[in-house]
Amino acid sequence: MLQSIRKPSEAEPGRLGRLAKLPVFFDLRGKRVVLVGGSPGAAWKAELLSAAGAHVDVYATEICTEMEALLARGAADGRLTLHRRSWAPEILNDAALAVADLEEEGEAEAFASAARRSGIPMNVIDKPGYCDFQFGSVVNRSPVVIGISTDGAAPILGQAIRRRIETLLHPSLSSWASLAKTMRERIMEQLPPGLSRRAFWERFADLAFQGRPPEVTGSSVDAVLRQIASRPVGAVGRVTLVGAGPGDAELLTLKAVRALQAADVILFDDLVSEDVLELARREAKRLMVGKRGGRASCAQEDINDLMTRLALQGKHVVRLKSGDPMIFGRAGEEIEHLESAGVPVDVVPGITAGIALASALGISLTHRDMAKSVRFVTGCARTGRLPHTLDWRGLADPLTTTIFYMAGGTAGAIAARLIEEGFSPDTPAVMVSNVSRSDERWAGPISELGEASDRRDPSKPVIIGIGRVFGRAGQSSLRGVPMSAQRLLAEA
């Protein structure tokens, strides 16, 4: 079956979704901030504000032990000053921010009104109705600072997110960020905009994320510069083949995310999900180069030429493929073409659909009581028909689990050939479309596979699994939705 040809088409990044709050970072160095209250909550806000470089005037008639200790430490450098009296509107004069911990509703409203009249952003602790801004959970790798907000809905969730991020960012990141500030002006002077400067900062970031402080490369800025400069930047860019997995963005590897964040141009397939593309660098140009059976598709030769042309212009090109690039992804053809043109290419693996299928079903493809081997097989030749060179005798081995890719249109022929080779008609089979999202699914004996395929939505790609290991699929569920041997079930 011949496919019509289409040209690569540019795709705009998805529009930014609604923000509950605008994340901003307020420079408070040397600025005056008013804090009303002497409670433990007020003490924590005082510590945050003074850590950001503010001069904090604390107004309170009584203070807790935490505030006492904080004032004792902060009084020496002039960051914190206690005024033992109640607040009044005039204390807001010349303040950059105003924060208060006030229990009574009337007093909170009066404070908020006074701050608004003075044109000062204000926050009344634990009273969202009287807040122009909110404090979130903070990950501190200063000068790298990460703020986390749940819009007040779930502070404990915000803290859990902070703990997760803390585990990802090595403490040495703070030293690297400080070093970057030191050398930034020098790099701007010595390296021209474009590939050279971008390559320098990418290499710098690679060093920063190795989990070691800058001192390991040397004790000076010059030593770090020599370390990075030891790998010269050429005029040729590079191509990274990245496996996007079965569609769930959470299944991407960290290396895949870093590649997406470093790309100048992203060439992506039809099957790559929006969730995956959302992780890409927003400045990167995106080009759809979809290849789908039975649909208008970009010619492979055009994709090869486009990757090569962009890389020779000095671009970092990410070729984003669903599943794994090395499993029925034509990666071999692309690598050969790029290498023949002198373009560096590397590969970031992804989770192939066959493995995603097994995980979604909770089934081992090589269960030792039912299978001794597993095969990944293409179910569609270039003609659109069943490949005539397949080892049908080997595939009919009852101790082999077989995963058929691109086999929606040939499912009936596959079942017939296997039965012809002696496969039992009752051998279990499964068929799932968009495996990580489970749009449609079916389970039953192989003798009914062709009929089930005829009832499926032909616009959705499917993967088919055949073998004794799938016997429990007919009695179990895929992500909580029962599977039926009689019909495809659309996910509710």
Side-chain angles (χ1 to χ4, degrees):
M1 179 175 59
L2 297 178
Q3 298 180 2
S4 56
I5 303 298
R6 71 178 182 185
K7 296 296 183 182
S9 56
E10 186 169 353
E12 293 293 332
R15 294 188 63 84
L16 188 65
R18 177 185 174 275
L19 289 172
K21 292 289 185 294
L22 177 68
V24 296
F25 294 89
F26 211 121
D27 186 359
L28 291 176
R29 286 173 296 180
K31 296 179 180 178
R32 177 174 176 264
V33 174
V34 168
L35 175 64
V36 175
S39 65
W44 169 234
K45 298 300 188 288
E47 185 170 2
L48 277 174
L49 294 165
S50 62
H55 296 292
V56 185
D57 283 329
V58 180
Y59 292 83
T61 55
E62 296 181 1
I63 59 173
C64 65
T65 55
E66 291 91 341
M67 184 69 85
E68 278 188 19
L70 185 63
L71 286 165
R73 294 196 304 270
D77 58 13
R79 293 278 181 88
L80 291 164
T81 303
L82 175 63
H83 305 269
R84 282 195 178 272
R85 64 185 180 90
S86 300
W87 76 275
E90 60 267 19
I91 70 171
L92 299 173
N93 295 337
D94 301 324
L97 289 179
V99 181
D101 189 6
L102 299 168
E103 292 186 7
E104 294 184 6
E105 195 77 11
E107 192 172 12
E109 183 176 1
F111 179 83
S113 297
R116 290 193 179 108
R117 287 195 301 270
S118 299
I120 300 171
M122 51 78 188
N123 173 285
V124 180
I125 299 172
D126 291 337
K127 287 183 168 52
Y130 302 118
C131 293
D132 292 326
F133 66 93
Q134 294 177 345
F135 293 88
S137 297
V138 175
V139 178
N140 185 13
R141 298 290 187 273
S142 190
V144 175
V145 179
I146 300 171
I148 302 161
S149 170
T150 61
D151 196 24
I156 299 300
L157 176 61
Q159 294 169 19
I161 295 171
R162 178 187 61 79
R163 290 194 298 271
R164 181 68 61 88
I165 296 174
E166 290 274 10
T167 64
L168 295 175
L169 301 181
H170 194 272
S172 66
L173 184 63
S174 176
S175 299
W176 283 102
S178 297
L179 180 62
K181 289 185 69 175
T182 301
M183 64 173 57
R184 181 175 180 82
E185 185 174 342
R186 184 171 174 181
I187 298 305
M188 297 282 282
E189 293 175 351
Q190 295 185 0
L191 295 179
L195 179 62
S196 297
R197 191 182 295 175
R198 175 79 179 277
F200 172 86
W201 286 118
E202 285 183 358
R203 291 171 186 174
F204 183 93
D206 288 340
L207 289 174
F209 278 96
Q210 288 180 358
R212 298 180 296 171
E215 291 75 18
V216 300
T217 64
S219 57
S220 67
V221 171
D222 287 334
V224 176
L225 291 173
R226 286 194 298 272
Q227 169 82 3
I228 294 175
S230 62
R231 296 169 55 195
V233 179
V236 176
R238 69 187 192 276
V239 173
T240 305
L241 307 182
V242 176
D248 186 344
E250 293 187 358
L251 296 178
L252 285 177
T253 64
L254 292 176
K255 194 169 184 178
V257 174
R258 284 198 292 268
L260 288 170
Q261 287 289 317
D264 294 308
V265 183
I266 299 172
L267 309 182
F268 65 97
D269 287 341
D270 277 354
L271 298 179
V272 174
S273 71
E274 286 293 329
D275 291 343
V276 170
L277 288 171
E278 272 297 305
L279 297 174
R281 177 171 167 258
R282 296 197 68 81
E283 295 84 356
K285 188 174 184 178
R286 307 177 187 197
L287 295 174
M288 165 103 61
V289 291
K291 296 183 67 61
R292 291 283 294 275
R295 294 188 185 184
S297 297
C298 294
Q300 184 63 50
E301 294 77 11
D302 290 341
I303 298 173
N304 293 344
D305 291 341
L306 179 60
M307 284 191 295
T308 303
R309 185 170 68 254
L310 290 168
L312 291 176
Q313 294 171 2
K315 307 292 187 184
H316 178 195
V317 181
V318 165
R319 175 73 172 98
L320 190 59
K321 298 169 174 283
S322 63
D324 182 276
M326 314 303 271
I327 303 292
F328 302 120
R330 300 195 181 182
E333 301 170 40
E334 295 178 352
I335 292 172
E336 291 174 5
H337 186 91
L338 291 164
E339 288 182 342
S340 68
V343 175
V345 56
D346 56 1
V347 180
V348 178
I351 296 177
T352 187
I355 301 301
L357 173 69
S359 299
L361 290 168
I363 289 173
S364 170
L365 299 180
T366 55
H367 192 297
R368 64 180 181 176
D369 294 332
M370 290 176 276
K372 302 302 181 186
S373 66
V374 60
R375 294 192 182 190
F376 293 161
V377 180
T378 178
C380 182
R382 292 188 179 186
T383 61
R385 299 179 180 177
L386 200 61
H388 67 276
T389 55
L390 294 179
D391 175 19
W392 292 105
R393 186 176 296 273
L395 295 175
D397 178 5
L399 294 179
T400 293
T401 301
T402 307
I403 306 296
F404 285 94
Y405 288 68
M406 301 168 288
T410 58
I414 289 171
R417 282 299 306 269
L418 289 173
I419 293 173
E420 182 182 327
E421 291 292 338
F423 224 35
S424 170
D426 295 327
T427 301
V430 296
M431 180 168 55
V432 177
S433 69
N434 291 335
V435 62
S436 71
R437 287 162 282 178
S438 306
D439 288 352
E440 292 181 349
R441 71 291 307 274
W442 172 89
I446 190 175
S447 59
E448 299 178 13
L449 180 61
E451 182 183 349
S453 181
D454 291 340
R455 295 195 301 270
R456 70 183 178 87
D457 182 348
S459 68
K460 297 178 179 178
V462 299
I463 189 164
I464 295 171
I466 297 174
R468 295 196 299 175
V469 297
F470 296 109
R472 63 185 294 267
Q475 290 79 43
S476 65
S477 62
L478 181 58
R479 297 197 175 181
V481 181
M483 302 179 72
S484 169
Q486 304 299 320
R487 60 189 177 90
L488 290 169
L489 295 178
E491 185 174 18

